[in-house]
Amino acid sequence: LTSGVGLFGRTRDQVRALLGEPSAPADPVTWRYVLGPERSWVGVDSDLLVLRFGRDGRVARITRETD
């Protein structure tokens, strides 16, 4: 999932069918999914898969972030 293979170009409905509802409140442009604890020796934050949708309503950018 974190590589984004198979997610680029998918619609919101297709992403929802594959991954379920976003973990954090979603806005129309950015959806976040919690992957688990941050991969560090401290591990106090969460790793997030962040999907950003383009004007066409399809996944245009995928990043991995911590909160």
Side-chain angles (χ1 to χ4, degrees):
L1 284 176
T2 57
S3 69
V5 174
L7 293 176
F8 281 107
R10 296 217 181 228
T11 65
R12 289 176 183 85
D13 288 339
Q14 290 172 324
V15 170
R16 192 178 286 115
L18 287 170
L19 303 179
E21 291 296 323
S23 303
D27 65 53
V29 177
T30 306
W31 286 12
R32 292 176 174 83
Y33 291 90
V34 175
L35 298 174
E38 178 185 19
R39 294 182 191 191
S40 72
W41 65 276
V42 178
V44 296
D45 292 324
S46 296
D47 264 341
L48 303 172
L49 177 67
V50 181
L51 307 179
R52 290 186 175 84
F53 293 88
R55 290 183 183 164
D56 61 356
R58 295 179 179 275
V59 175
R61 186 171 176 210
I62 300 170
T63 58
R64 188 169 147 199
E65 302 174 1
T66 57
D67 70 343

